[in-house]
Amino acid sequence: MSRRIPVGTVDELLPGQRKLVFVDGRSIVLFNIEGTIHAIDNSCPHNGASLASGQLDGCMLRCPAHGLRFDLRTGRMPGPGGLAVGTFLVHTSDGKLELSIDESSTALSSAPACKATT
């Protein structure tokens, strides 16, 4: 079963911006990539480093601690295998942002593809 948790408004997360939120004791970071909102756990699965200040290249986020890269759409590292970070569905309703928190497991985002910057 999943539930929606309000985490802000669309107006406060403009394209290119990110926002750190806390839900049920969990740190989650939201990213607005060209108008699409992505949300991931704010903890690198490698060593627990905060991902909130990581460098973005399209939908690829680089962990500031050790350089591991994660796709914001899937939470996975590029290539087969590798580590993954939890992702969450983000809904917009009446100008508000809501995270879908799945009580039994992390809900994977089904967001469209991101363009890499050159």
Side-chain angles (χ1 to χ4, degrees), residues 34-88:
E34 297 182 357
T36 300
I37 310 296
H38 301 273
I40 62 168
D41 272 321
N42 185 35
S43 179
C44 180
H46 169 248
N47 201 13
S50 171
L51 296 171
S53 64
Q55 180 181 355
L56 277 174
D57 181 16
C59 277
M60 297 303 293
L61 177 70
R62 183 176 303 277
C63 175
H66 298 101
L68 297 177
R69 296 181 319 129
F70 299 94
D71 189 323
L72 295 178
R73 298 163 293 180
T74 64
R76 300 196 178 283
M77 294 176 65
L83 299 172
V85 64
T87 62
F88 304 89

Side-chain angles (χ1 to χ4, degrees), residues 12-30:
E12 67 182 331
L13 192 62
L14 299 175
Q17 294 183 325
R18 56 187 84 188
K19 177 182 180 177
L20 186 61
V21 298
F22 297 91
V23 176
D24 296 339
R26 192 176 201 167
S27 179
I28 299 170
V29 62
L30 289 82

Side-chain angles (χ1 to χ4, degrees), residues 3-8 22-24 97-101 103:
R3 59 193 171 103
R4 289 186 181 186
I5 307 294
V7 291
F22 297 91
V23 176
D24 296 339
L97 295 173
E98 299 175 334
L99 278 182
S100 260
I101 302 294
E103 300 298 333

